[in-house]
Amino acid sequence: MKTKISRIIIFANGELPNKEKARALLHKEDFIIAADGGTRHALALGRMPNVLIGDLDSVTDEEEER
C-alpha cells in the first residue's frame, strides 16, 4: 500500500526558536527535505529527512551519518 504524501516540508539553516511549536506543525506523512544546515532542525524535531540538498558544509559528520 502506498503512503500518500500530503505535504512537503523544507527545513533551511537558521534559527528554530520554538521546537515544540514546530514539532506540533509536522504530520507523520510529511515528506521532509533538509537544505544543508536544515538537517540539524529536522533531526532535533525527531524527523529523518527524506532528502538532503546542498553542499552539506553546515552538516556535522554525525548528522550526515544519521
Side-chain angles (χ1 to χ4, degrees), residues 5-65:
I5 297 173
S6 65
R7 303 183 310 169
I8 296 173
I9 307 297
I10 302 172
F11 284 93
N13 200 10
E15 298 297 319
L16 185 62
N18 190 331
K19 290 179 186 170
E20 293 308 313
K21 189 172 187 178
R23 187 177 286 115
L25 295 172
L26 295 175
H27 299 164
K28 179 182 176 184
E29 63 276 357
D30 289 341
F31 188 87
I32 306 295
I33 298 173
D36 207 9
T39 303
R40 173 174 35 99
H41 300 314
L43 294 174
L45 297 174
R47 297 298 303 266
M48 183 64 63
N50 297 91
V51 175
L52 297 176
I53 59 172
D55 60 9
L56 304 181
D57 65 339
S58 300
V59 176
T60 66
D61 291 338
E62 180 184 336
E63 291 166 339
E64 190 172 353
E65 283 187 32

